Structures are given as C-alpha cells and as structure tokens.
Amino acid sequence: MKEYLIGILGVCLLSAVASVLSTGNATKKHIEILSSLCLVATVASPIATFIGDYDGDFNIFDFETESVMLDYEELYEEYLLEGNARTSEGILEGELSALLGVGTDAFDVELWLCVSEAGMAEVEKVRVRIFSNGIASDPDIIREHILRRTGNECEIIYSLND
C-alpha cells in the first residue's frame, strides 16, 4: 500500500514539474493530457494486477466451495437414504404383518442402505425385531420374505420386553 501511494505521489510531482517546465499552450495541453493518463494508469494499476492474477474463480472470501458442495451432497445423500430406509421399513412391516396374520406392531424392521457404484440405493443390512405378540411367527417365513424382497439375509432378534 505504501508503494502504491508513493507511486501516485511521484506521478503527481512529475506531472506538476512537466507542466511548469512546458512552454506554449499546445505543449502544455499535451503534457497535461499525458500526465492525466499516467495518473489514471497508476491509480488503476491494482485493477490490472488483479485481472492479471485472475484464474477464473472469483472467490473473495477464500471459501472452499468444492468441499462445501461435497459436504452438501453427502448430507443430501444421507437424507435420501434415511428417508428411503424408513419408508421401506414400513412397507416390509406391513407385508410381514399381512403374510403372518399379526399386527404391524409385532415387528420392527430396520434397514441400512448404502449407495452402490451405480449410484443407486441398495440394502446393506436388515434386522427384524420380533416382539412378544409376534413370537409365534415362523422365522423361516420372515427370512425368506426379507431375502426375496431385499436380496439380503436378515438378522432376527426376539424382544420379549416390549
């Protein structure tokens, strides 16, 4: 900043000296125009430096936009997976209830989803918790149904303290 102000002061001093030393109105007019152009160029030099250093990314806050976008995409992906898991759990609970002839409160299905290489949500793990009112349900029927619907084996947990 100090060099910038000294540069402006220097151009002003040279312009004043050249104006005083010039003879004739035509010469004085040309000297003043040239001095004005030099002063404008000196004042605008930081803008030229900025444009010369510009790399196409106007990021005045030094903000990591790529990492923020990745974080946002990961959060959105987790949100979608969580929503899909909860919806799928409810559907599976209803199907098991209808298949085994018990209420939907007899089961608690938990799904863990992940994103496949193709970008699709896929079931990673399934856990079925059977409560006391569903204790008479055949676990083989449950395993077979979950395997057919999700493509995964399921873990069955009996929970008698509901």
Side-chain angles (χ1 to χ4, degrees), residues 1-33:
M1 182 70 171
K2 184 178 180 180
E3 294 85 13
Y4 175 68
L5 293 175
I6 289 173
I8 292 174
L9 186 61
V11 169
C12 288
L13 275 170
L14 286 174
S15 296
V17 168
S19 181
V20 168
L21 294 178
S22 67
T23 57
N25 285 340
T27 308
K28 192 172 196 141
K29 198 178 247 186
H30 290 292
I31 295 285
E32 286 176 358
I33 290 172

Side-chain angles (χ1 to χ4, degrees), residues 11 35-45:
V11 169
S35 296
S36 297
L37 288 175
C38 287
L39 185 60
V40 167
T42 304
V43 169
S45 66

Side-chain angles (χ1 to χ4, degrees), residues 5-82:
L5 293 175
I6 289 173
I8 292 174
L9 186 61
V11 169
C12 288
L13 275 170
L14 286 174
S15 296
V17 168
S19 181
V20 168
L21 294 178
S22 67
T23 57
N25 285 340
T27 308
K28 192 172 196 141
K29 198 178 247 186
H30 290 292
I31 295 285
E32 286 176 358
I33 290 172
L34 187 61
S35 296
S36 297
L37 288 175
C38 287
L39 185 60
V40 167
T42 304
V43 169
S45 66
I47 295 171
T49 303
F50 174 75
I51 291 172
D53 292 341
Y54 182 64
D55 62 356
D57 183 23
F58 188 68
N59 195 351
I60 60 173
F61 300 111
D62 196 27
F63 194 64
E64 295 293 331
T65 54
E66 286 183 23
S67 67
V68 169
M69 285 305 293
L70 289 176
D71 290 345
Y72 176 74
E73 288 173 5
E74 287 174 11
L75 287 172
Y76 185 66
E77 187 176 281
E78 287 175 21
Y79 171 76
L80 288 179
L81 288 177
E82 188 67 25

Side-chain angles (χ1 to χ4, degrees), residues 111-149:
L111 290 177
W112 286 266
L113 300 180
C114 65
V115 178
S116 68
E117 290 180 15
M120 302 295 293
E122 64 181 29
V123 177
E124 186 175 50
K125 181 180 175 183
V126 182
R127 178 183 297 148
V128 177
R129 186 178 310 273
I130 302 174
F131 299 111
S132 59
N133 54 342
I135 202 79
S137 302
D138 186 358
D140 292 333
I141 293 174
I142 295 171
R143 282 190 182 95
E144 182 183 308
H145 182 73
I146 296 294
L147 180 62
R148 187 171 41 83
R149 294 291 280 142

